[in-house]
Amino acid sequence: LLPLSSETLALFQVWISVLLCLVMLPAMFGLSLGVTGVYIQILVQILEWATLRIQRGRKEKTSVPIPLPNGIIHRDGGSMAQEMLEVRGSRPGGDFTLGDVFYFYKKGMESLVDDQVTQCFSSEELASWNLLTRTNQNFRYISLRLTVIWGVGVFVRYCLLFPLRLVRELGHILAKHWLSEVAHLMFYRICARGLSATIRYHNKENRPKKGGICVANHTTPIDIIILANDRCYAMVGQVHGGLMGVIQRSMVRSCPHVWFERTEMKDRNTVTNRLREHVTCEDKLPILIFPEGTCINNTSVMMFKKGSFEIGGTIYPVAIKYDPRFGDAFWNSAKYNMVSYLLRTMTSWAIVVNVWYLPPMTRLDQEDASQFAQRVKSAIALKGGLIDMAWDGGLKRARVKDSLKEEQQKMYSSMIVGPDGPKNSRLVYFM
């Protein structure tokens, strides 16, 4: 190997000094130099200019494709009774008629062509291009200036932002020397700074307190970094081997995380008792749980698993909403592995996200765990501007449960029999 010249060594020393002074040290102590804010403002102006140029280019070049909307089928969102009323006309109730079949035929065809569950696991479509090739490969050919801006963006993302974000790995070294909450905050802030994350926290007076459970909607694995950048949490997960196991054992020495063996994860009572024991201790950090159990595409909130709401204690809801203009934060695990997803995230323009801390909630006397979970989910969806969906996120990999089918059948049967019908009447299911 050739020895480095004095000029190269001097440039390397300057580069390391800039990283330490402008990235590492401010991130460790939670300080902001305002560079990220200026960077986001510049991005907004560039993207707005690109949008206007694309709109003008569409008029000049009719061959440029127009992106499809999120759903190709328009749904009004009415109940079965309302939609059945449109089919029946002036006969909202009564016995079964052959015309009722058209309602179920219409719903079945809509589900085959474009069902609502599948939409929640596809990347959110944007109305305009955000200068990322992965969004639409044709927009960059509209004009020479737009092509030049796109080329400069590729250089910035892959040659400047990507190497700079690799610096976050230094956070692992720092975290090993600090066994306290301060060390965890420093580590996660370095990770967030490495991703060029701009996080806006709202209603900080409602931040989760010790001895409670923090529940949030789930879009990406970096949700943990986004939340832990403002407050330390105890994580819940399964014990792993290899390098992940070493990291888990190191983490648990400085923070009371809750790790389960594979056999314990299958025992629901064991999991509930361990979590309840953690929550009853007011000195331990709040537990961070994502009740959906899978990543959703930043547009909806799907069914919350009731296990988190059977533990007891205070629930601290948190709503997370990413700005898709600067990059797609959603992790489609069926399409990308973790390495590919991290590469896409680190080569995006930035991670811009809003976090709302909702007032703490407790289970009411007349509520069961499922009803409590639904109430918390609705509050998160309303605050984050997300669609509140009753579907289980497990449908991403599993078949529809018979109970869900029977629920639709009972709704239709109750319309046929009516509220005043005989209690012991025979209900005929048509699904």
Side-chain angles (χ1 to χ4, degrees):
L1 296 177
L2 297 175
L4 295 176
S5 62
S6 57
E7 292 81 4
T8 304
L9 185 60
L11 288 175
F12 180 74
Q13 291 175 346
V14 171
W15 174 249
I16 294 298
S17 301
V18 170
L19 289 179
L20 289 175
C21 297
L22 299 182
V23 178
M24 297 291 293
L25 292 178
M28 289 167 56
F29 297 101
L31 303 176
S32 177
L33 302 179
V35 178
T36 304
V38 175
Y39 168 67
I40 295 298
Q41 292 298 324
I42 295 175
L43 271 182
V44 170
Q45 295 180 6
I46 294 176
L47 296 180
E48 289 178 350
W49 172 84
T51 300
L52 295 176
R53 187 62 189 86
I54 290 171
Q55 292 175 351
R56 188 173 63 185
R58 282 179 179 157
K59 298 178 180 178
E60 298 173 355
K61 299 180 180 180
T62 57
S63 60
V64 177
I66 300 177
L68 290 174
N70 291 340
I72 61 177
I73 295 178
H74 176 71
R75 295 181 174 89
D76 297 327
S79 62
M80 177 185 291
Q82 294 173 340
E83 296 185 11
M84 190 66 73
L85 180 62
E86 297 178 1
V87 176
R88 292 190 169 193
S90 60
R91 296 176 294 102
D95 297 332
F96 167 75
T97 60
L98 188 59
D100 293 347
V101 176
F102 290 101
Y103 169 79
F104 299 107
Y105 175 79
K106 172 177 173 290
K107 288 295 182 181
M109 293 301 297
E110 287 181 355
S111 298
L112 290 175
V113 175
D114 188 31
D115 67 282
Q116 293 176 302
V117 174
T118 304
Q119 290 181 16
C120 294
F121 300 103
S122 301
S123 296
E124 182 181 4
E125 292 292 339
L126 301 180
S128 62
W129 189 36
N130 60 359
L131 298 182
L132 297 177
T133 308
R134 63 196 67 150
T135 307
N136 191 303
Q137 298 184 4
N138 297 318
F139 283 153
R140 65 180 185 271
Y141 299 121
I142 287 182
S143 68
L144 178 61
R145 283 188 296 175
L146 197 61
T147 303
V148 172
I149 293 295
W150 174 81
V152 172
V154 172
F155 173 80
V156 170
R157 290 189 291 114
Y158 282 91
C159 300
L160 296 180
L161 295 181
F162 179 60
L164 183 64
R165 288 164 181 172
L166 287 177
V167 179
R168 79 187 196 281
E169 297 299 329
L170 297 176
H172 291 283
I173 301 175
L174 293 174
K176 293 179 181 178
H177 300 286
W178 299 82
L179 301 177
S180 64
E181 295 182 16
V182 176
H184 279 78
L185 284 174
M186 296 165 89
F187 168 71
Y188 287 115
R189 285 169 179 170
I190 290 172
C191 291
R193 195 64 56 89
L195 292 171
S196 297
T198 298
I199 313 171
R200 302 183 182 94
Y201 298 98
H202 308 275
N203 309 115
K204 284 192 173 184
E205 66 275 7
N206 297 325
R207 278 192 300 185
K209 296 179 174 56
K210 292 184 177 181
I213 302 174
C214 175
V215 297
N217 58 300
H218 198 24
T219 304
T220 164
I222 65 175
D223 287 338
I224 298 175
I225 297 177
I226 299 300
L227 293 178
N229 193 62
D230 188 50
R231 208 253 187 265
C232 290
Y233 296 93
M235 309 299 173
V236 179
Q238 180 179 312
V239 175
H240 294 273
L243 178 60
M244 183 61 69
V246 174
I247 296 176
Q248 285 182 322
R249 289 190 292 271
S250 301
M251 292 175 64
V252 80
R253 292 192 188 101
S254 57
C255 182
H257 299 290
V258 184
W259 307 127
F260 294 96
E261 297 290 346
R262 184 181 297 273
T263 55
E264 293 178 327
M265 291 292 291
K266 298 180 180 179
D267 189 347
R268 186 172 181 177
N269 292 329
T270 301
V271 174
T272 302
N273 293 334
R274 286 275 303 276
L275 295 179
R276 185 177 290 117
E277 180 182 355
H278 181 103
V279 172
T280 53
C281 184
E282 297 182 356
D283 297 332
K284 293 185 177 181
L285 295 174
I287 298 176
L288 177 58
I289 299 178
F290 300 102
E292 288 171 302
T294 187
C295 294
I296 313 299
N297 70 344
N298 195 43
T299 63
S300 310
V301 182
M302 303 192 78
M303 187 182 74
F304 279 7
K305 305 294 191 301
K306 66 178 182 179
S308 307
F309 302 88
E310 294 176 335
I311 301 171
T314 304
I315 298 293
Y316 294 90
V318 177
I320 307 174
K321 177 66 176 178
Y322 292 86
D323 192 332
R325 294 179 298 173
F326 307 100
D328 185 14
F330 166 59
W331 180 35
N332 188 350
S333 57
K335 188 175 182 180
Y336 303 104
N337 57 31
M338 179 59 73
V339 176
S340 300
Y341 169 75
L342 291 178
L343 178 62
R344 289 169 56 85
T345 302
M346 294 175 64
T347 56
S348 296
W349 292 114
I351 299 296
V352 180
V353 56
N354 285 278
V355 177
W356 290 274
Y357 295 113
L358 279 68
M361 304 174 68
T362 56
R363 182 173 168 180
L364 302 178
D365 296 335
Q366 67 274 17
E367 279 185 325
D368 57 22
S370 299
Q371 293 172 338
F372 184 30
Q374 173 63 33
R375 183 161 62 93
V376 174
K377 177 174 71 77
S378 300
I380 291 176
L382 179 62
K383 193 66 176 180
L386 303 168
I387 301 175
D388 186 1
M389 301 190 66
W391 294 103
D392 185 359
L395 292 174
K396 180 180 182 180
R397 297 181 178 88
R399 299 184 63 180
V400 179
K401 297 180 180 179
D402 292 337
S403 59
L404 296 177
K405 299 178 183 179
E406 293 176 359
E407 182 179 350
Q408 299 295 317
Q409 294 169 349
K410 291 179 180 178
M411 290 174 57
Y412 177 68
S413 300
S414 63
M415 292 176 53
I416 297 299
V417 177
D420 300 328
K423 297 182 179 180
N424 297 325
S425 62
R426 182 181 179 184
L427 302 181
V428 181
Y429 294 157
F430 296 94
M431 295 186 181

